[in-house]
């Protein structure tokens, strides 16, 4: 019953001769979400991703393929895209009918969500991985092993998953078709990489800043936490390290890093932190290595003078107040001097 999910990647890519293998691992992935509110109300959204770029999308309201990149329409003629849309519409109707029938037979209550993730990944050494995974209500449900040509349940004790596995494995013809489709995925991936090379390899320089988080005021002295925030870089791979006196700080409890997270402008961000013992007078710097820097490193030193403790803050505040007071006195004295000068008189 999950076979219709495979119809999109079958045509979402050119079938021309394979271009050169890309220099880094890249994935072509189709994500689909079906929300079964009840037997007559179903929502569907799908998107195709090349690496981290959304190339195509579709929803069940219009069942029209939307091209999210300027080059996403290449590889197929307008007539082929139109035929594909028609094929998807028919397949979706059949898919929804079968799912509703199985849900009623298995006594599965509404609402529920079916998620699909399928595609392939190409590695720099020329090897590839093909995958087709399906989940129900956010949990792993069933997947297809491309090499063995069979379905496996992701939850061994899930009766519904075991039932779906056995049911699908009886259809040997469908398994053969799925294997064929997944084998073509790598060629489609290479073709997409060729068309979208400029977008995939666009360099976006990282911007980094180092700052210190003030430790808690109460209790025993706590380590000062230095934070290096790196943002705005693309592509995704980045290396961030801390230097102490010019030497790289080794891994340990004193180092912590967030995951690489996406920004809204299709760039990425990362935070790396270093716990520094109170009274440590070493010099520290954050080093960022990224492909956009052309082999160079971005080095951001931490200036200890920028760490304002409570005493320094109070001192600066009192100094500002004193300067303001002097300014007020001078202004008032000058104002009184002008008032003491009568009409026609001149001030000395």
């Amino acid at each position: 019953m999950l076979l219709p999910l495979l119809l999109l990647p079958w045509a979402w890519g050119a079938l021309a001769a394979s271009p050169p293998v890309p220099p880094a691992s890249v994935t072509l992935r189709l994500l689909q979400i079906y929300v079964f509110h009840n037997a007559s109300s179903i929502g569907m959204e799908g998107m195709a991703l090349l690496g981290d770029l959304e190339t195509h999308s579709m929803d069940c309201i219009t069942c029209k393929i939307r091209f999210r990149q300027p080059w996403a329409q290449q590889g197929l003629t307008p007539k082929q895209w139109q035929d594909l849309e028609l094929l998807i519409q028919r397949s979706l109707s059949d898919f929804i009918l079968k799912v509703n029938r199985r849900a009623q037979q298995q006594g599965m209550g509404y609402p529920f969500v079916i998620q699909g993730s399928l595609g392939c990944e190409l590695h720099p050494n020329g090897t590839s991985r093909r995958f087709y995974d399906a989940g129900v209500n956010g949990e792993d449900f069933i997947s297809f092993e491309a090499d063995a040509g069979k379905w496996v349940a992701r939850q061994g004790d899930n009766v519904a998953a075991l039932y779906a596995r056995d049911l699908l494995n009886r259809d040997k013809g469908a398994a053969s078709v799925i294997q064929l489709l997944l084998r073509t995925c790598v060629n489609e991936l290479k073709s997409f990489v060729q068309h979208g090379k400029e977008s995939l390899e666009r360099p976006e320089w990282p911007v980094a800043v180092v700052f210190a988080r003030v430790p808690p005021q109460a209790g025993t002295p706590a380590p000062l936490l230095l934070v290096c925030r790196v943002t705005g870089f693309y592509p995704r791979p980045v290396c961030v390290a801390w230097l102490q006196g010019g030497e790289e700080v080794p891994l340990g409890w004193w180092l912590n890093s967030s995951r690489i997270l996406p920004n809204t402008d299709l760039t990425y961000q990362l935070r790396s932190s270093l716990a520094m013992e109170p009274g440590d007078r070493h010099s520290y710097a954050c080093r960022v290595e990224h492909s956009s820097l052309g082999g160079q490193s971005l080095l951001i030193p931490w200036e200890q003078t920028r760490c304002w403790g409570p005493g320094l803050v109070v001192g600066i505040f009192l100094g500002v107040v004193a300067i303001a007071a002097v300014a007020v006195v001078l202004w008032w004295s000058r104002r009184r001097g002008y008032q003491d000068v009568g009409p026609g008189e001149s001030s000395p």
Side-chain angles (χ1 to χ4, degrees):
M1 66 180 180
L2 299 175
L3 181 59
L5 293 175
L6 292 164
L7 295 174
L8 296 181
W10 172 244
W12 279 16
L15 300 178
S18 299
V21 176
S25 295
V26 64
T27 304
L28 176 61
R29 183 189 306 269
L30 176 66
L31 302 177
Q32 290 179 303
I33 300 178
Y34 295 84
V35 182
F36 287 78
H37 303 285
N38 51 57
S40 59
S41 177
I42 295 91
M44 186 280 287
E45 291 186 3
M47 67 174 63
L49 299 174
L50 179 62
D52 51 10
L53 293 178
E54 183 181 358
T55 58
H56 304 79
S57 68
M58 170 177 276
D59 60 69
C60 67
I61 298 177
T62 61
C63 280
K64 296 290 185 181
I65 298 174
R66 297 187 178 92
F67 304 100
R68 298 302 189 183
Q69 300 294 330
W71 41 265
Q73 197 170 358
Q74 299 184 33
L76 294 177
T77 65
K79 178 63 166 56
Q80 288 174 321
W81 285 114
Q82 185 178 3
D83 292 342
L84 176 60
E85 288 178 346
L86 181 60
L87 178 62
I88 292 172
Q89 293 172 16
R90 293 174 178 174
S91 300
L92 285 178
S93 300
D94 183 62
F95 173 70
I96 292 171
L97 179 63
K98 290 181 177 179
V99 170
N100 278 325
R101 184 184 303 158
R102 298 300 179 190
Q104 295 170 6
Q105 291 176 352
Q106 297 294 315
M108 190 173 181
Y110 294 92
F112 61 89
V113 179
I114 295 179
Q115 300 154 296
S117 173
L118 61 151
C120 55
E121 183 178 55
L122 185 62
H123 305 296
N125 60 4
T127 62
S128 61
R129 180 180 68 91
R130 295 162 293 164
F131 55 88
Y132 183 10
D133 305 309
V136 176
N137 293 333
E139 297 183 355
D140 291 338
F141 186 71
I142 197 170
S143 63
F144 185 77
E145 292 186 349
D147 294 332
K150 64 178 183 180
W151 295 91
V152 295
R154 306 304 298 177
Q155 299 180 24
D157 57 347
N158 189 310
V159 176
L162 294 173
Y163 175 81
R165 177 202 64 186
D166 296 339
L167 181 65
L168 291 170
N169 279 332
R170 295 192 194 108
D171 193 344
K172 302 299 182 181
S176 299
V177 172
I178 293 172
Q179 285 183 299
L180 175 62
L181 295 178
L182 288 179
R183 279 197 295 267
T184 66
C185 180
V186 174
N187 282 340
E188 296 179 10
L189 168 58
K190 292 179 181 179
S191 180
F192 265 127
V193 169
Q194 185 181 43
H195 293 310
K197 183 177 181 180
E198 184 176 348
S199 298
L200 290 172
E201 297 180 359
R202 75 183 195 279
E204 298 286 350
W205 288 15
V207 176
V209 62
V210 173
F211 59 92
R213 292 182 58 183
V214 180
Q217 297 182 0
T220 58
L224 183 66
L225 194 64
L226 301 184
V227 180
C228 181
R229 182 176 183 270
V230 187
T231 188
F233 57 90
Y234 187 92
R236 188 175 187 275
V238 68
C239 181
V240 179
W242 284 95
L243 303 182
Q244 181 191 64
E247 299 293 330
E248 185 171 335
V249 177
L251 296 176
W253 64 266
W254 46 85
L255 287 177
N256 190 22
S257 178
S258 70
R259 295 182 300 161
I260 300 178
L261 302 174
N263 292 320
T264 57
D265 60 352
L266 295 180
T267 63
Y268 291 96
Q269 62 171 295
L270 170 72
R271 286 197 179 201
S272 177
S273 61
L274 169 67
M276 188 182 72
E277 292 295 334
D280 188 344
R281 305 304 298 175
H282 286 97
S283 62
Y284 289 94
C286 175
R287 185 184 66 198
V288 181
E289 297 175 335
H290 189 259
S291 60
S292 65
L293 300 175
Q296 302 295 318
S297 297
L298 187 62
L299 199 64
I300 307 94
W302 175 63
E303 301 291 345
Q304 296 202 37
T305 55
R306 293 180 182 176
C307 182
W308 293 359
L312 181 59
V313 173
V314 172
I316 293 176
F317 174 75
L318 293 178
V320 172
V321 171
I323 293 174
V326 172
V328 170
V329 171
L330 291 176
W331 174 81
W332 180 257
S333 299
R334 176 164 295 187
R335 185 171 182 272
R336 289 294 303 273
Y338 285 134
Q339 290 178 348
D340 291 341
V341 177
E345 299 179 0
S346 61
S347 59

